[in-house]
Amino acid sequence: MAAQATAPAEAQHTNAHIDPAAQLANSGFIPVQTRSERPRSFDPDDFGTPTGREVNWKHTPVAQLTPLFSTAEQNDGVTYEIESGTQFIAAPLAAGDAPRGEFFVPEDIVSAVAWQGTDAGMHVRIPRDEEVAEPVFITITGQGADRRADAHIVIEALENSSATVVLRHLGSAQYAQNVEILARGGSRLTVISVQRWEDDAVHAASHQARVDKDALLKHFVISFGGGIVRVNPNLELSGTGSEGRMYGLSYADAGQHLESQVYLHHKGAHTIGDVLYKGALQGEKAHSVWIGDVLIGADATGTDSYEANRNLVLTEGARADSIPNLEIKTGDILGAGHASATGRFDDEQLFYLQTRGIDEEEARRLVVLGFLSDVVQRLGIPALEEELLAAIDTELTAVSA
């Protein structure tokens, strides 16, 4: 078995001043640096073509993402269906139309390509003071493995509103996607991105979110399908008393690459952050990547933050890369920490179940379901929870067959 867990004893960062624009102009190569120092631009040419040496690409099969390094000519690779909540879909947003770009600035070539390639971005807008009981459900269906599409989606919860927005991805496509999330003061917003692509899909997404004063954002990345799926969430707790909870779940099969680079920035005072990503892997060359960066800024006094990633390797030949990083610029905090673990089944758990008359195959199934259901049960949508638990059960049946 090729399983790997990496937890650096010290955050991998430098205090030296770095001029990202000059570095890009001189060589196109970005040296190791903290997440907050990465260059940003709306122009794809400012990033250059990734080589795989860059800090944000070195765990990614860059060659297979090549179709996403230039804008889609037809932009017809996916279709969008608003299954519920059509009343919350506002007029499309061109580049320059507020609130598109209010917070979002591309930080890699794919997100810059998606910005340039989207003439009319979808705008989900939850009105002020409105509590939306049923989720806004948007299904994005790929039209073929050779079809390209770019997208920019803005999800905006106005002051003191409450809503859940679900983005479900099906089919197959080559899809570059930006999701810009704005949680205004006092709002309660949940955003769930579910990737259940076919095995030949290529999907790279950048989610950037700002959480204002006394607002709460729950953000989920659930990846169960796709050849290469790279969903990188970036969440800024900008307002005093804001709260961000970032959850992820992945199940990688043979040959699949499932990746999330998570960034949580505590910018305002008295903010709360919780990051929990879990993954299971099975099959030859199944690969998951999780990189978690937490920055507690100089003004983020009273912060309470924790991040964790845990992976369960089910078969030989699977690999999980897990790298947590924590950067703290103030000593006046309530607490901060991180954890990472990757391993096989817990033999003691299996033994305990078997001593109670449960056969080994069923015992393994129960251990995996118990491990992953922790994240599933936080979704708060019973039908979706049942669907995902059934999908996990199907995966487990396949590996034991």
Side-chain angles (χ1 to χ4, degrees):
M1 178 184 68
Q4 174 174 306
T6 306
E10 298 181 359
Q12 300 176 5
H13 64 87
T14 174
N15 293 322
H17 175 71
I18 296 176
D19 185 347
Q23 290 172 342
L24 285 172
N26 291 336
S27 66
F29 173 70
I30 308 170
V32 174
Q33 57 187 294
T34 60
R35 180 73 176 261
S36 60
E37 292 175 324
R38 290 186 185 175
R40 295 187 172 196
S41 174
F42 292 97
D43 186 351
D45 291 339
D46 286 342
F47 294 98
T49 301
T51 65
R53 295 177 298 159
E54 300 85 353
V55 66
N56 57 329
W57 292 106
K58 64 182 179 180
H59 296 283
T60 309
V62 171
Q64 298 176 57
L65 285 176
T66 301
L68 305 186
F69 297 160
S70 57
T71 56
E73 294 182 4
Q74 300 298 323
N75 204 15
D76 59 357
V78 300
T79 60
Y80 300 85
E81 180 183 359
I82 314 301
E83 296 189 8
S84 60
T86 56
Q87 67 271 35
F88 302 112
I89 306 301
L93 299 172
D97 289 347
R100 179 177 172 181
E102 180 178 323
F103 180 71
F104 192 100
V105 182
E107 63 176 10
D108 63 24
I109 187 173
V110 177
S111 55
V113 162
W115 177 276
Q116 296 291 344
T118 307
D119 294 328
M122 180 182 292
H123 185 194
V124 182
R125 185 177 184 273
I126 310 301
R128 185 192 306 264
D129 298 322
E130 184 153 348
E131 295 186 8
V132 182
E134 296 300 319
V136 178
F137 228 109
I138 302 168
T139 296
I140 302 168
T141 304
Q143 300 303 295
D146 59 343
R147 303 282 289 274
R148 270 281 285 120
D150 296 317
H152 190 96
I153 300 170
V154 178
I155 301 173
E156 180 185 20
L158 295 186
E159 289 79 1
N160 302 312
S161 64
S162 175
T164 296
V165 179
V166 181
L167 305 175
R168 185 206 296 268
H169 303 84
L170 304 171
S172 189
Q174 301 168 1
Y175 188 42
Q177 180 194 57
N178 296 334
V179 179
E180 182 172 3
I181 303 167
L182 301 167
R184 308 290 187 187
S187 63
R188 296 290 184 268
L189 178 63
T190 298
V191 175
I192 303 169
S193 183
V194 180
Q195 288 67 238
R196 297 199 64 188
W197 296 103
E198 298 297 328
D199 288 344
D200 53 1
V202 176
H203 176 200
S206 176
H207 291 211
Q208 295 187 15
R210 192 189 69 210
V211 187
D212 293 339
K213 184 176 185 296
D214 295 328
L216 165 65
L217 173 63
K218 293 182 181 180
H219 184 274
F220 291 83
V221 177
I222 312 291
S223 297
F224 278 14
I228 300 175
V229 175
R230 172 180 151 119
V231 181
N232 294 345
N234 171 341
L235 193 158
E236 179 184 287
L237 298 173
S238 62
T240 300
S242 56
E243 184 174 351
R245 300 193 176 273
M246 307 175 76
Y247 302 121
L249 184 63
S250 64
Y251 201 121
D253 281 324
Q256 285 186 320
H257 177 95
L258 305 180
E259 177 177 346
S260 282
Q261 298 186 27
V262 180
Y263 179 40
L264 176 61
H265 180 191
H266 291 268
K267 187 176 182 180
H270 303 290
T271 55
I272 297 174
D274 182 31
V275 179
L276 176 62
Y277 272 61
K278 286 190 171 186
L281 304 92
Q282 65 184 29
E284 188 68 24
K285 295 185 178 180
H287 188 201
S288 69
V289 175
W290 179 86
I291 301 174
D293 290 297
V294 174
L295 169 62
I296 299 175
D299 297 323
T301 57
T303 285
D304 189 1
S305 183
Y306 194 79
E307 66 168 344
N309 175 233
R310 308 192 187 282
N311 300 291
L312 189 58
V313 179
L314 305 178
T315 65
E316 300 287 339
R319 176 187 178 94
D321 291 307
S322 180
I323 305 172
N325 298 301
L326 176 61
E327 183 181 6
I328 304 174
K329 295 187 174 182
T330 176
D332 185 11
I333 62 173
L334 295 180
H338 61 205
S340 168
T342 297
R344 303 188 190 190
F345 282 104
D346 187 325
D347 291 335
E348 290 186 4
Q349 289 180 319
L350 291 177
F351 177 76
Y352 176 85
L353 292 171
Q354 288 179 274
T355 60
R356 278 146 182 79
I358 300 174
D359 63 51
E360 181 178 355
E361 181 178 321
E362 178 63 11
R364 288 178 178 273
R365 172 183 169 275
L366 291 174
V367 169
V368 177
L369 281 172
F371 175 74
L372 297 178
S373 63
D374 178 27
V375 173
V376 174
Q377 292 170 357
R378 298 171 191 251
L379 291 167
I381 305 176
L384 184 56
E385 292 176 8
E386 291 177 9
E387 174 191 325
L388 294 177
L389 289 174
I392 294 170
D393 217 6
T394 299
E395 297 280 4
L396 292 172
T397 301
V399 74
S400 62

